[in-house]
Every structure is written in structure tokens, then in C-alpha cells.
Amino acid sequence: MWHKISLSRFRLMIQLTMLFLMVYGGSLVGYYAAEKISNALPVLSCAYDKQTGGYCVLIPLQHQLHHRIGEALVAAQTFSLNVLLPLFFTIVSFFAFYVVLGKAFCGWVCPLGTVQELMGKLGRRLNIQPRFIAPEQVGKVRPIKWLMLLVLVLLFPLLAGMGVTPHVTGDSFCQVCPSRILTTVMTGDWEQLAIATPDVVSTVFGVVANLLFGFILLVALAYRQPFCRGCPLLAWNSLFQRFSLMRLVKVEHSRCDKCSLCHQACPMDIPEIWREHGNKAFHEDCILCGRCAEFCPDDGVIHLQFAKWRWFSSARDYYKSRSRTENAKGELKRVSIPLKDVQNALKQAVDKPDA
Amino acid sequence: MRFKWFGLLALVWIAGADAGDCSLVGADWKNLPHFMARPDKGGLLAQVRGMQIVGAEYWSAHTSESLVLGQSTRLTEGNYHWLQASGDWHGCSTDLSTAYYNNMGKGDAPTEMLLLTKAALEIIPQPLPREHWRYRGGDAWSFLVRWQGQPLIDAGVLFVDSLGNAQALRSDDKGMVRVVFPDFMPDEMAHDAHEAAGHNQQARRGFALWAVAPDGSSLAGFDYHYAHNASYQHSLWYGVGLAVLGMLAAVGLFVRRKKAKKRRQSIEGEGA
Ligand code: SF4
Ligand code: SF4
């Protein structure tokens, strides 16, 4: 299969289909939450989008922390099953999806991930030079996603439920999520782009959200997957990464020291894919896009694996054909046809018009 | 667009179209019956005021049971419920309905439940606003008018709300009526019992849709609420401006880096 179509192209087709389903799929799957693909998808498909095909897990997670656990704590109830059951259902349905596809949700399904990637492709076409985060800098960016998860998704909704922070903090992450603005604007609905002004906290959230949305959208022309690096869903997904059937496997290889192509290819700038092997190479930041496996020039070093089935493995021949149009960094190669060949072809066409 | 107190004219028009004993002439928000439903002790407390009740029933996605008005009812299924009270209003057989949502963590969609035939004359939201959504001022939503289970074409429908707005509407060839909710900014909200601040502290007002059976034998009403306009206390222009500012910051990042790189290259060139 991979001789006929590259993994990247195959992934792009899936991403575009999923983008359609996540942003406009409500007309196919149904209108009400119970009819959606799931209410606990591990991707940023926003419930504020009237036509979405499924909801992001962060909505019920924040909602339950806010309205059930936080409020129950204040009412001094003991943690009854009634309070914890919905949270349990959310995590179980998320987990059911997650065990099968794991991090592939980030690299293959998430609408915001896809749009950032498309912006990156546009950037290459516009000749904007791709930028990378150096291995010694990545460590500074990595804690952001955990902070976002702990503070915006878990802490603030709980505090809002307890009445400590204002009501609007009950879905703090949604308030700043660029996917909320992006996916609704994509359906022609401008409402989420408007800044709420009833109180200072709402306005601050709105200011942050819109600045972030504008920034992420254009910075993606040069930096690959800028929002993914701080996405709380990446952190949440990575908690379950080791349980997933879908995984990235790298075996130890002697030539890696002098290579680093996989690291250059990685849209998340993960140096571990080059420097480590085994569990450490499948890093918490990995979005299972498979670019590292595509651009590894050696046979059978990096694999995309579902349970025991290695459905894509690095291979020299594949690498050679893949790098004809694009290098590991994502820069497009100009295919130059010598002028002499063009002249000859034209001459032949003029001499023998029927040929 | 304001429709205040145009109700009477609308009613004359509707009454003229539908011959029979039942009519909505003289009906307005204040004298029409109303359905109230709210959470109570982990269940539902439903009440109807303004009409003599013969019976009441509620439907969930898979079940239907009789509803005791004025008493807390424990719902066994989660999500959407349809509440209906039958009785007499001004000597006319009347079915009044409302919808009620309770989140029990899980529950089915109301698509089929809404379309079940529950009365001879019905006004059915198509769809009901789902979770994370609501009827709002300025928005347009559709309702299906049915008579004996079939779409009722060219039926007169009266819209009234708690501020006295009224619209006379007609169903299309599929029996659908499109309601554009009047603009609503909370400072003009009337303080009546029907209008509590809702789940998201959204100010809301009551509205009702009413129709007369083609043979004039009965009336049907759907009583619910809508929230303020989406634009209330929201600024799209500030939003667009801030997004553009974010974009400029991103562009600034490339340009600065590009210039720095060029400078570095020229210094290196001079040094060589
Ligand atoms: S490590 Fe490989 S699969 Fe993971 S994000 Fe980087 S390139 Fe993609
Ligand atoms: S591309 Fe392959 S050979 Fe090169 S460093 Fe990565 S794993 Fe090793």
C-alpha cells in the first residue's frame, strides 16, 4: 500500500475526513448530544459548534467537576456514587476510544491539529521558512500542557463549583480554547469571536482567547503544531498512552548518533525519538503522526504498531521516494525540469502534432 | 424588530382562518395558561396555572407516565422530557406542553420522543435546543404543527411572550413554522415568576406558541422560554481586533527572526 500512497498523504485524507466530521458532521450523526459520535472524544471538537459530529472530553470533564463534585463538596455531601458516576462514565467512554486509537486522535483526528498542519503546508508554499524548537528549549515548553490541564481543566471548574471562583471559570479551558473560535467560525458562526463584557473575568478570558487564536493561526505558518505543545488534551491523553494498543516503537540502532532525521521530521520537535529507544522514544508529546518513521532512512527502526501488528515501518526505499518531494524538515523540494528537456518536448510536439 | 401588542390583530386574523368553537381571540400572554417545570428534591416539580386540568402525562426517551402536578416527580430516565397537561381553557379542550431537561449523566436523544403522536393537535420543536444551546432573542427556530399525526399546512400559529410581544405566523407546506425570537436585552425583562435566571445565569423570558385545530375542536400550546440575544454584552469588533493583534504578534515573530538571521549572516560574511 505504501508504494502507492505515502503515509502522510493517507493521514491527510483521514484528517480532512475527520475535520469535516468534527466540524460539520452533526448533519450526518444527529443533533443532540446523545446522537453524537461520542461526548468524550479525545480531540478538540467543540460543543459550541452547532454542527459538530462529536464533543471534546474536556467539556463533560469540566462540567462534572464544576456542577457535581465542586457543588457536592460545598453541600458537604459525602462522595456518593451518584456524584462520581457521570465522571466515571466520561472517563470510561474516553478510555474505550483511547485504548483503540490512543495518541492517533491528536495526529489524525483533532480539527485544530489538522488546521495547524494545513497552515504549516501553506507556510511552506508561501516560502516561509520553517522554525524549530531546539532540543535544549523543548523542556521549557513541555510543562505548559500540564499546567493547562491542572489549572484550567481541573482546578478552576472545581473551585467554581465550590463557589470560590466566578461561575465563568467553570469551563475555564473552553473560555480560552482556540478550537472553540476556529470550529465555530468555520461554520460561518462569528458569535464565539465576540468578546464577552459582562464582567472583568469574562473579558480577560475573551482577550486571552482571541489573542491566542490569532497568534496560533498565523504562527502555524512557521512553527509546526504550536498549540499542540501546550494542549491540555495532549497531557490528558498521555496519561493513558501506555495502555493504548496503538503506539510508536523504536528499536535501538547504531547509526542514530550521526543521523537525527526523525527528530527533524517530528512536528513536535521531540529529541527523544532520535536519542532514545523503547518506551522513552514514545514520548508524552508524541501525536503518532508517523513522520519520524517515514523519514528514518533505515529499515525496521521505527514502527507504528497496533497491538502486535506493525502496520508501518521505516524503510530505506520508502524514505528515498518520500524525500523526493519534501525533506525531513518539511521543506518542499522544487522539482526542476532542465530547460533543454522542455525545449525538446515542445519541438517534438510542433514537429509531430499527432504524436 | 418589535411586535409589542400586535397580538390582537394577529388573533383576529388567526381566528378568521379557523372556523369552530375554539378560538384564541382575546388571548395574550397574561390570560393564556402556562406550564412551569423546575428541579425539586432530585426530581421534577411541574405546575400549570390558568386552566382546568383533566390529566397530565410526561414522556422520556423510552417511557411515558402520568404526571402529578404540584408534587415532586422522580424521573427515571435522564435528558429530555415532554410534559403535557390536558384540560379546559375558556370552555375549549386544550393540550398544553412544555419540555424539560435533566442531566443524569446519560440519556437518549429526544428525536423519536418528540415525534410520537401525543395529542390531536401538536406544536413540536424541530429541534429542541440541545445541551449547550438555547432559544435566544434574534435567533430563528422551527416548529412542526401537526393535526392527527399529520403536518398541518398553512395553519395559523400565535407567538406570544411575557413582554407582550406577539407574532402571527403560518405553517409552510411541510407544516413547519419558523419563529424569529424578538430581540431581547435583559434590562427590559419583566419580573414575573416565569423568568428565573437560568443555568448559566442567563436572563430569560417566557414564550408560547398556540394553534387552533382546523375543525375548531381544540387548542394546543407549547410553553417554554428563551434567553437574551447573543450580542448582549458581547463585542464582535473587539474580538476581531484582538484576533488580528494576535496575528500581528505571530507575523512579528517571523519578521524579527528573519531580520536577525540576515544580520547574523552579513556579520559572518564580513568576518570571513
Ligand atoms: S515522535 Fe514521530 S510520531 Fe511522534 S510526533 Fe514526532 S514524528 Fe510524529
Ligand atoms: S531517523 Fe532513524 S536512523 Fe536516524 S536517528 Fe532517527 S531512528 Fe535513528
Side-chain angles (χ1 to χ4, degrees), chain A residues 31-36 47-52 55 59 63 67-68 86 89 127-129 131 167 189-191 193-198 207 210-211 213-215 217-219 221-223, chain B residues 79-80 103-111 114 127-133 136 141 199-201 230 233-236 238-240 242-243 245-247 249-251 253-254 257-258 261:
Chain A
Y31 172 75
Y32 300 98
E35 293 166 330
K36 303 290 175 196
Y48 288 88
D49 165 9
K50 283 175 237 172
Q51 299 171 36
T52 184
Y55 294 160
I59 276 260
H63 189 84
H67 289 294
R68 290 189 180 257
F89 277 131
N127 252 340
I128 295 173
Q129 224 195 340
R131 326 264 162 175
H167 188 275
D189 173 5
W190 297 91
E191 192 182 320
L193 197 59
I195 301 279
T197 54
V207 169
N210 286 38
L211 285 173
F213 165 70
F215 183 78
L217 200 63
L218 280 211
V219 92
L221 289 168
Y223 287 88
Chain B
N79 280 4
Y80 300 89
N103 183 357
M104 287 170 45
K106 267 180 102 58
D108 284 335
T111 315
L114 286 172
L128 246 177
R130 65 159 161 81
E131 305 85 343
H132 312 289
W133 219 254
R136 292 180 314 191
W141 289 80
H199 163 71
N200 283 330
Q201 310 304 312
Q233 293 185 324
H234 278 74
S235 167
L236 183 57
Y238 282 145
V240 171
L242 283 158
L245 210 63
M247 290 179 186
V251 172
L253 200 71
F254 312 156
R257 290 264 173 121
K258 209 169 184 176
K261 194 177 171 194

Side-chain angles (χ1 to χ4, degrees), chain A residues 250 253 256 259-262 273-274 295-298 301-302:
Chain A
K250 185 191 164 191
H253 187 50
C256 290
C259 177
S260 90
L261 278 172
C262 53
I273 186 65
W274 157 39
F295 283 94
C296 172
D298 279 328
V301 180
I302 304 181

Side-chain angles (χ1 to χ4, degrees), chain A residues 129-149:
Chain A
Q129 224 195 340
R131 326 264 162 175
F132 308 95
I133 300 185
E136 54 287 2
Q137 302 292 326
V138 225
K140 293 182 188 158
V141 182
R142 285 177 174 169
I144 297 175
K145 61 181 179 296
W146 292 107
L147 267 177
M148 297 270 267
L149 178 68

